Amino acid sequence: MMNKKTLITIMFVFAITISWSQSKTITNILNFKMQNSGAIMDNNNDVDGYYMFYQVDKVNRKEREYAINFLDQNLNDVATKKFIERKGTRLLSTSFNNQATMLAFLNVKEKQLVLKTFDKQANEKDDVVIQLDKKVYRTINILSLQGMLPNILFPVDNKGFILNYKTIKDKKVINKVAFYPTNGGDYWEKEFDFVKGKIQTIIPLTTKDDYFILVESLARGTKVNINTNVINVNTGKEIFVSLYDVNEPKLISNSFITPEGNIAILGQYYEANAKIAKHESLGLFVTTYSPDGKVISESKMSWAVDVNAKLKIRRNSKMEDVGYIFFHDIIRTRAGDYYAIGEQYKKTANAGGIALGVLSAALGGGVQTTGYTQLTIKDAYVFKFNKDFQLKDIEVFEKGKSRVPNLYDFGSPQLNAFQIKAVGGFDYVFSQIDEEKDRFYANFVDYERLKDENNKFAFKTIIHDEGELSEDKIYLPNRRRKVITRPLPGKLGHVLIFEYNRKEKSAYLHLEKLNIE
């Protein structure tokens, strides 16, 4: 059984028979976690550089010396910034907005969020310190330790960053978003009204141009209402809100800004009065709004008719065989077509969870069980839409099965998929856009079960070039002892291999060119 967390911790190394390579070695890393490294990427997911956060020294019983190492896209040193913080300081989230990099840290001793900002030359700006209530701190701390804390920092290109977090007001936990400018603009914050008896979740979707688009989820049992909020990123004022309609229930997953400056929302629609946390969706929808909130157009594609017709042509299949599709990204080409990058999934029984449940019952409930259900994730799907969002084609790229335990056994497969996505449970890694060549690359990590030889991990890339889709892959050999390895995005046409040697306390980074002309 394989899940995304296994992928993150699996120790694998690319074996690429290409002589071109750029590399970098960093030593004296006393304490390091792989999630504390990553690529600094712009709005097209093109790599501007890399960062590493690690411990370099023990100052005293209470304090540690930490370092943030910045590299450019070719692995050249930009700067290494060292600072003293309390023991146990943890990196939660990192974001880049073309002007600066912001990192959100958790000071576990003082129960504080600490925001550190560095410009492109790695010059440090003043820290922002946010004191957390004990209840809010406890939630953040537990989720981050379990690797289940969703991203809390979001870039606004060339303007600033948005922090999404919870705070206490009038003894109630409320959701809050705050904008921190990097271009001389004004700070603003927005608080969401407390709703008694419901679990409120704020999920940012898009930060682009003057828009900050988010969904507000209000849940009570299996009843979930989802509202769409569009906010002026310069002022924090609401431009418009699209309220949940019980007569037309919708589960919203993606949003983007069209070349005309309109706002497009994509998701799944349900029959009237359906509960989206319980019932199955009827199909996909795309609604386009004007900047002032007026509906310009809406397109619907049913699973039973529209999608099944394309699948039958392509592979003599149907949605009943496929299950559901979760879309990770939507990319527009020069021709005006839109490509939605997704993965197939089904909700299935978790044999391990059931076995532990039986054991727990036999022992009187003394054993902690995992979920009884899981998401089984398989092939990659690329949906092609025309400029009016009419479905033109579906292409399927085969992958091996991944299985990820659901966080909750109740709820529809679609709702569970959102939760799994938030903690990095799908095989999808990232997409990159080459605007000069009108190409895009959608990347996945796959586990291939091979006949008559050992199973292998592979880094798979779906390539769009000159209106056609193709696939390339590189096999990943088995793990090496004492070496933890992670693939990271590289500059266009490349991948970065990050290796941390726990015994030698050193990191080795090398850029490898993919087999793409």
Side-chain angles (χ1 to χ4, degrees), residues 212-262:
F212 171 41
I213 305 170
L214 60 88
V215 295
E216 176 190 20
S217 171
L218 298 169
R220 176 185 291 162
T222 59
K223 184 178 180 181
V224 181
N225 295 350
I226 293 182
N227 304 320
T228 306
N229 296 56
V230 179
I231 296 171
N232 185 315
V233 78
N234 301 302
T235 64
K237 303 295 183 183
E238 275 186 353
I239 300 174
F240 70 90
V241 178
S242 176
L243 296 175
Y244 185 82
D245 184 352
V246 295
N247 295 314
E248 294 186 82
K250 294 176 181 177
L251 180 62
I252 298 160
S253 58
N254 304 81
S255 69
F256 52 96
I257 309 302
T258 69
E260 298 77 23
N262 296 316

Side-chain angles (χ1 to χ4, degrees), residues 282-440:
L282 299 179
L284 299 172
F285 79 91
V286 181
T287 303
T288 305
Y289 297 89
S290 65
D292 59 359
K294 295 179 181 178
V295 175
I296 297 174
S297 65
E298 182 169 70
S299 176
K300 289 185 177 181
M301 295 137 278
S302 73
W303 301 125
V305 179
D306 303 297
V307 176
N308 272 343
K310 301 297 183 183
L311 288 176
K312 186 175 182 180
I313 293 173
R314 277 287 181 182
R315 61 186 326 206
N316 194 27
S317 183
K318 57 184 179 180
M319 278 303 298
E320 286 80 356
D321 303 325
V322 174
Y324 304 94
I325 308 294
F326 189 93
F327 292 105
H328 301 286
D329 199 2
I330 300 172
I331 301 171
R332 187 180 186 273
T333 64
R334 286 181 192 166
D337 294 322
Y338 290 90
Y339 288 82
I341 315 299
E343 277 184 273
Q344 162 194 356
Y345 67 93
K346 288 184 178 181
K347 185 177 180 181
T348 58
N350 181 357
I354 293 172
L356 283 176
V358 173
L359 176 62
S360 177
L363 297 176
V367 176
Q368 179 67 40
T369 67
T370 58
Y372 291 113
T373 64
Q374 63 190 3
L375 286 191
T376 297
I377 301 163
K378 199 172 182 299
D379 297 336
Y381 280 67
V382 181
F383 282 51
K384 180 180 179 180
F385 304 96
N386 64 17
K387 62 182 180 62
D388 298 316
F389 302 110
Q390 301 299 316
L391 184 61
K392 294 177 64 175
D393 197 8
I394 300 173
E395 290 200 43
V396 184
F397 296 86
E398 293 186 354
K399 295 195 294 89
K401 290 182 179 179
S402 301
R403 298 178 177 90
V404 187
N406 286 320
L407 301 182
Y408 306 101
D409 289 322
F410 64 86
S412 67
Q414 297 97 323
L415 198 62
N416 274 300
F418 273 87
Q419 295 161 344
I420 295 300
K421 173 64 176 179
V423 297
F426 281 88
D427 295 332
Y428 171 84
V429 185
F430 63 94
S431 296
Q432 285 183 300
I433 302 172
D434 186 343
E435 291 186 334
E436 181 179 345
K437 296 181 179 179
D438 193 26
R439 292 177 178 172
F440 69 74

Side-chain angles (χ1 to χ4, degrees), residues 22-47:
Q22 291 173 280
S23 62
K24 176 75 175 180
T25 300
I26 302 172
T27 59
N28 193 33
I29 302 176
L30 299 187
N31 190 6
F32 177 70
K33 296 180 179 179
M34 287 303 285
Q35 59 263 40
N36 289 344
S37 63
I40 299 171
M41 306 178 75
D42 64 17
N43 196 47
N44 286 334
N45 281 348
D46 195 12
V47 173

Side-chain angles (χ1 to χ4, degrees), residues 39-44 46 48 94-103 116-120 125 153-162 179-185 207-209 233:
I40 299 171
M41 306 178 75
D42 64 17
N43 196 47
N44 286 334
D46 195 12
D48 192 80
T94 305
S95 187
F96 174 67
N97 75 340
N98 294 329
Q99 292 180 332
T101 301
M102 179 175 279
L103 303 97
K116 291 184 175 291
T117 307
F118 300 86
D119 65 19
K120 295 186 75 168
K125 307 299 182 182
L153 270 182
F154 301 87
V156 183
D157 284 353
N158 303 309
K159 293 185 178 182
F161 299 92
I162 291 176
F179 175 70
Y180 297 92
T182 56
N183 68 341
T207 54
K208 187 173 178 59
D209 300 333
V233 78

Side-chain angles (χ1 to χ4, degrees), residues 188-207:
W188 57 259
E189 59 185 43
K190 175 178 172 56
E191 297 177 348
F192 293 84
D193 294 335
F194 175 80
V195 182
K196 186 177 180 180
K198 293 188 177 182
I199 300 174
Q200 184 188 55
T201 306
I202 302 302
I203 307 171
L205 294 180
T206 301
T207 54

